[in-house]
Amino acid sequence: MNEMKIPEHIAIIMDGNGRWAKKLGLNRIFGHKTGVKAVRETVEICGEIGVKYLTLYAFSMENWSRPSDEVEALMSLLIESIVKETAELNRNNVQLRTIGNLSVFPENVTVKLNQAIEFTSKNTGLVLTLALSYGSRWEITEAVKEIATKVTTGEIKPESINENVIEQYLTTYNMPDPELIIRTSGEQRLSNFLLWQGAYSELYFTAVLWPDFRKKDLLEAVDEYRKRERRFGKTGEQIKQEKD
Ligand code: IPE
Ligand code: IPE
Ligand code: MG
């Protein structure tokens, strides 16, 4: 694929694991397990086509309210996958990061996660960020709290607060906004994912259920993205002139 207009940052809402399993008459957990293969393929293809940042919505803040056996199975799967996949990620020069409220995770999960993050921290290839116990409203609320505290102590002047300042207090302070947000499973909503960062993202929805998502599906999304005209409030004519 020609390198032109490959998004620097792709974010994916990996949805449809439960329905995938149900279709086969299996437990939802089986869908989550099979979804790991789709993650592997997506990481590989993003590396191959030169995407720099891949952010995967793996567990939302709202997902804590699922039945406890499903939450427990997801936690075990998370540990298992990290342990199994880290060496391969490292071989591929992938740097692992997380965003979300990790403080609410069981300690055995955070220990393994932090080990993997530390282990891959010097890698210079794809930055793979897992959104875990993530919610945009939580993230923005935390940013507001931190900024307000600094206003109280005089470290920040209210009149100096602008979009750039706010961005520095979001969990994504060290990455660009995603140009493309993909959601699988046919649902067309953001479910509290990257609300600030996605202000001008191109949205791509596919009916493919996450466990079935393959390299070709990612390439289709990127192809569609490349056909879009990103106008950022300007007119189509202005955009054409800028290109000439
Ligand atoms: C996405 O698949 C994975 C998580 C939210 C953890 P779902 O589990 O939401 O699958 P559906 O939407 O019920 O099919
Ligand atoms: C969004 O999927 C969260 C993740 C993919 C991790 P959900 O399945 O939780 O979203 P809703 O509840 O259908 O909006
Ligand atoms: Mg879902």
Side-chain angles (χ1 to χ4, degrees), residues 61-62 134-143 192-193 195:
M61 221 146 192
E62 291 76 18
Y134 174 86
S136 260
R137 289 182 172 184
W138 160 80
E139 172 182 47
I140 294 168
T141 307
E142 289 303 303
N192 205 7
F193 187 48
L195 300 184

Side-chain angles (χ1 to χ4, degrees), residues 12-16 19 57-60 62-63 66 131 183 187 189-191:
I12 308 183
I13 302 170
M14 310 185 289
D15 198 14
R19 278 164 283 168
Y57 203 9
F59 193 82
S60 74
E62 291 76 18
N63 288 148
R66 290 194 177 191
R183 183 171 189 148
E187 306 301 346
R189 54 176 171 265
L190 290 172
S191 303

Side-chain angles (χ1 to χ4, degrees), residues 151-234:
V151 166
T152 321
T153 60
E155 271 176 89
I156 295 181
K157 290 196 177 64
E159 58 274 21
S160 70
I161 299 172
N162 58 28
E163 293 183 9
N164 293 334
V165 170
I166 294 174
E167 268 166 14
Q168 285 162 30
Y169 288 85
L170 298 177
T171 59
T172 51
Y173 66 93
N174 52 359
M175 59 178 100
D177 289 342
E179 292 97 326
L180 174 63
I181 297 180
I182 298 172
R183 183 171 189 148
T184 58
S185 89
E187 306 301 346
Q188 303 197 354
R189 54 176 171 265
L190 290 172
S191 303
N192 205 7
F193 187 48
L194 303 180
L195 300 184
W196 172 286
Q197 301 85 342
Y200 263 104
S201 301
E202 295 298 328
L203 307 181
Y204 178 85
F205 300 105
T206 170
V208 173
L209 301 173
W210 180 251
D212 288 330
F213 196 82
R214 290 293 167 270
K215 291 185 177 183
K216 72 165 180 39
D217 298 302
L218 190 286
L219 291 175
E220 269 172 35
V222 170
D223 253 355
E224 162 72 24
Y225 163 81
R226 294 167 76 201
K227 289 186 201 139
R228 306 246 182 117
E229 182 178 62
R230 307 189 73 206
R231 288 195 282 272
F232 300 98
K234 296 182 182 173

